[in-house]
Amino acid sequence: MREFVFSIHFESGADRVMDAFMQAPRARSEAFLCSLDGEQAWRLERVVGPSAALERIEDRLLAAGGESISGRACDGERYVDLLDVGPGHRVVYTYLSDITRCETVPRLATRYLPGGVLFRLVRQESEQRWQLLMRDDEKVGLLYDALSAALRDGLTFEFGHLDAASGWAADMLSSLTIPPDQDEVLATAAEMGYYETPSETTLDAVADRLDLPRSTVSYRLRRAEAQLVEYYLSETL
């Protein structure tokens, strides 16, 4: 199996969904997509981030169309459902059928690549990072040209790599989500050098930076660390 990896970068105002990610740098989503014939496609997307950002991203994902990368809007039927809502995450299912006219990444890919292509999409800030898993890369050059030519104003293409597929099982079958309040404490502690040897800061200093009680910082840090340990053990044992 082969994989084709590339990114599409969005300027502010070029896409409502990506604008929501730009407004929340700590938000991130990962989606798996399949398009068998270019006229049907499904997507399962998991979004993590702060609560306010999740609400905004959720609203825009539920209202988004076919996400054409060109100036052509997508025609067709669309079904979308919010499958899961929890602290720090959302899961959105989207199904598109009878797709015509528009130029989405999956629709363009089905023109040039053998059937059964699997797509992985990661969104963060102004970037969509695409990974395409396929049996044959003979016509990837044609897809590359088609993607570059289709991009509307405000979008730019960046080539990643074309190589043997790797890491898909780990990416698809494992996931770790730390609640935003714990993530904030963990990230701040790491940034301030709390985990250096010797430590470059204290819990009191982290608490001062976050304007939180020391006990709250200590509790959130322990919970985040416990999840990281549990995740590591589940992946290595």
Side-chain angles (χ1 to χ4, degrees), residues 40-98:
Q40 300 180 76
W42 60 260
R43 177 177 71 223
L44 190 63
E45 185 160 11
R46 188 170 190 267
V47 190
V48 297
S51 298
L54 284 176
E55 292 177 6
R56 182 166 56 249
I57 292 170
E58 171 195 325
D59 289 343
R60 297 189 183 184
L61 284 175
L62 294 176
E67 299 199 53
S68 173
I69 60 173
S70 73
R72 296 180 180 178
C74 291
D75 292 334
E77 298 296 321
R78 179 176 177 273
Y79 172 80
V80 62
D81 193 9
L82 186 62
L83 295 185
D84 189 31
V85 177
H89 76 272
R90 301 286 192 276
V91 177
V92 179
Y93 170 81
T94 303
Y95 174 72
L96 301 170
S97 62
D98 301 321

Side-chain angles (χ1 to χ4, degrees), residues 7 10 26 28 35 42 84 115 119 138 151 175 183 203 205 211 217:
S7 295
F10 291 73
R26 290 175 54 217
R28 181 180 186 274
S35 177
W42 60 260
D84 189 31
F119 304 82
E138 181 180 354
L151 294 181
S175 178
D183 179 72
L203 279 180
D211 194 23
V217 169

